[in-house]
Amino acid sequence: MSLTSFARALCAGLALALGAATASAQVAWQTIPDPGPVLGADGKLHQASCSAFPGTDPSWRFWVRPGDPKKLAVVFDGGGACWDDLTCSHPYGVGAMGGARPAPGALLQFYTPAIPPDADPSRYGGLLDLDDPANPVRDWTGVAVPYCTGDVHLGSADRVYDGVGQPQLPSSFTLRHRGQDNFMVVLDWIAKNLPQDVEDLLVTGASAGGYGAAGHFPWLAQQFPQARLSVLADASQGVTTPAFDAGDPGRGAWNPQLAPWVFGSDPLAVRSHELMRRGAAAYPQGRFAQYTTTADGVQVGFYAVMRIRHGPGEGDCSRLTPDWNRQMLATLAQDKALLPNFRAYVQRGTGHTILGDDDFYVAPPRAPSMAAWLRTMLDPAAGPAWGHGQCPGCLRPMRCR
């Protein structure tokens, strides 16, 4: 069967499955393999690709799970980031959907370079566990966007880096930071193949995927202007340094692309922690939220690299973890004060991400489970019942000394 014939057959199958979605939630994820180049919603030509890190497979694919045609959840996977010779020379291993799974014993690992052959969203728990009756999007149509470009889903550039600390690497290699191109390919597929009368739209992601959700949701909101919009970023607080956000090396290495009607014409002028704030302000009828732990070890680790290589930071504390914690809490406090459509869920600990974890369904002391909190967020009748979530004392900044 040709790729074109396969795509037509898949679309026909999706149409049948979408029509019968309310009868059963047990519909498998379907792979959309090797999507071709598209003229994107931004008017530019886009070709999907992974990073092409030496020795890895650059081919790219994504997944669709048929469900209620009136409800659509778009989920961006995580997997670190890289932006200079050192960080781009040291990729992660890979996980269920291509996501970050550091190899045991490795000291320097920064990003996921490829999608493994056996990748499948069904291998995740949490929000992607469609067997759990407590899943608030169990019956929704789902689109899973994998990540393998080192650019938090926002880049559109090919960059040459020098190999550092890896004897098997060539002296220089080209990396494809094509996360935004990949998203534009997904958006084009959604526009051409899914029902357009969506009533509820959830855009979410974990870690690097949280930045993808916060940066790309306006394109999906534009595609479905009639839909109730919800945006949730998990473990993507944007505690960075000014030199990293505006620099090259830094975010500038990716040539990040953002919706200009929300973020303006210069993406590098938008700080990482401002993505959610600007998005929520531009879409006051939508609901926006962030989840984090008080001392997320992965976010703190990346901030450490930024402080060393692209410092100084903006905090008032020399100790690393309290510095990150105090900036994170200050940003959340500002967003809560400025945005009536924004909520935050803060839990104690060093854990990184919850959307793909079974803890998604576990209620901590004196707080709802993340699944229950998200269900309330998605309920248009919830009103004030959708509040902030936090463990006792978790909003108290860590001491510097």
Side-chain angles (χ1 to χ4, degrees), residues 331-345:
T331 296
L332 289 184
Q334 292 168 7
D335 290 349
K336 291 175 184 178
L338 291 171
L339 304 165
N341 58 336
F342 174 81
R343 303 288 187 273
Y345 193 121

Side-chain angles (χ1 to χ4, degrees), residues 303-367:
Y303 178 56
V305 176
M306 294 172 192
R307 280 208 326 184
I308 293 169
R309 299 178 68 81
H310 308 282
E314 295 176 290
D316 58 358
C317 186
S318 60
R319 292 178 59 208
L320 177 65
T321 299
D323 184 19
W324 181 90
N325 169 268
R326 294 163 73 91
Q327 291 189 65
M328 175 273 290
L329 290 176
T331 296
L332 289 184
Q334 292 168 7
D335 290 349
K336 291 175 184 178
L338 291 171
L339 304 165
N341 58 336
F342 174 81
R343 303 288 187 273
Y345 193 121
V346 182
Q347 270 301 326
R348 192 180 314 280
T350 60
H352 181 61
T353 77
I354 196 170
L355 283 181
D357 193 276
D358 289 339
D359 283 346
F360 181 75
Y361 298 102
V362 177
R366 298 171 59 183

Side-chain angles (χ1 to χ4, degrees), residues 74-96:
V74 179
V75 183
F76 291 85
D77 197 22
C82 83
W83 56 87
D84 60 13
D85 295 339
L86 174 66
T87 56
C88 290
S89 293
H90 295 270
Y92 287 135
V94 290

Side-chain angles (χ1 to χ4, degrees), residues 4 12 21 23 52 59 64 72 138 224 238 250 275 334 337 368 383:
T4 301
S59 65
V64 176
L72 174 63
R138 184 170 184 253
F224 303 106
L275 288 172
Q334 292 168 7

Side-chain angles (χ1 to χ4, degrees), residues 94-138:
V94 290
M97 210 167 80
R101 296 294 185 273
L107 296 177
L108 293 176
Q109 295 184 42
F110 293 96
Y111 69 104
T112 298
I115 305 171
D118 60 348
D120 187 337
S122 65
R123 295 169 56 194
Y124 272 127
L127 188 71
L128 296 176
D129 180 0
L130 305 178
D131 293 326
D132 197 311
N135 190 330
V137 298
R138 184 170 184 253

